[in-house]
């Protein structure tokens, strides 16, 4: 089964951190990402771009309307994603727990949400 992992952060909390603290925190991410990928179960891992570039597309009265993102009214926003192919829910949880957002960044409001996927299309 495949699982979507969404890595969240709170922009206001992250912005309130001292630049050196952000640099120290982010410098720990590559090693954790590599540990997660080394399981051989991670199909996709991505960090999302700056919030200023986000757009939301919604259908309204038969037309597509585009607005600024992020797409939800929330204090937390998705900052990254990954897809795991695991043999069990427990295995997926074990692998997702290796993600930087699950291990670090409490001061930036980091968190991971793990969601079972009903289908997955690729090229």
């Amino acid at each position: 089964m495949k699982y979507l992992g969404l890595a969240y952060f709170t922009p206001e909390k992250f912005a309130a951190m001292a630049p050196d603290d952000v640099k120290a925190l982010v410098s720990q991410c590559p090693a954790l990402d590599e540990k997660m990928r080394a399981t051989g179960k991670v199909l996709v891992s991505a960090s999302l771009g700056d919030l200023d570039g986000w757009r939301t597309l919604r259908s309204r009265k038969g037309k597509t309307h585009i607005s600024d993102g992020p797409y939800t009214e929330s204090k937390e926003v998705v900052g990254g994603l990954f897809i795991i192919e695991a043999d069990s829910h427990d295995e997926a949880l074990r692998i997702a727990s290796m993600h930087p957002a699950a291990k670090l960044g409490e001061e930036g409001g980091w968190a991971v949400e793990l969601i079972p996927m009903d289908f997955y299309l690729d090229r």
Side-chain angles (χ1 to χ4, degrees), residues 2 8 11 20 33 61 64 72 74 84 92 104 122-123:
K2 291 179 179 62
Y8 290 88
D20 286 344
D33 284 333
K61 298 181 181 180
T64 301
T72 59
S74 174
I84 297 169
L104 308 169
D122 62 14
R123 291 182 170 195

Side-chain angles (χ1 to χ4, degrees), residues 38-55:
T39 66
K41 300 284 185 167
V42 178
L43 304 178
V44 172
S45 181
S47 180
L48 302 180
D50 187 49
L51 295 175
D52 291 338
W54 289 31
R55 298 296 177 265

Side-chain angles (χ1 to χ4, degrees), residues 60-120:
R60 297 283 190 254
K61 298 181 181 180
K63 294 185 179 183
T64 301
H65 292 267
I66 301 171
S67 61
D68 292 345
Y71 60 92
T72 59
E73 295 293 325
S74 174
K75 292 182 179 169
E76 293 180 332
V77 295
V78 177
L81 63 95
F82 54 93
I83 298 174
I84 297 169
E85 185 165 28
D87 296 326
S88 69
H89 189 68
D90 287 342
E91 181 182 36
L93 285 169
R94 181 182 58 76
I95 294 166
S97 72
M98 297 175 191
H99 190 277
K103 292 223 168 276
L104 308 169
E106 183 176 340
E107 58 277 345
W110 288 10
V112 169
E113 185 173 28
L114 189 65
I115 304 165
M117 298 175 71
D118 287 335
F119 71 93
Y120 174 87

Side-chain angles (χ1 to χ4, degrees), residues 8-10 13-15 17-34 37 47-48 79 98-101 103-110:
Y8 290 88
F9 74 105
T10 306
K13 287 183 176 182
F14 205 71
M17 293 173 63
D20 286 344
D21 291 341
V22 171
K23 188 175 181 178
L25 175 65
V26 172
S27 73
Q28 297 176 70
C29 294
L32 291 170
D33 284 333
E34 182 52 38
R37 284 191 302 273
S47 180
L48 302 180
M98 297 175 191
H99 190 277
K103 292 223 168 276
L104 308 169
E106 183 176 340
E107 58 277 345
W110 288 10

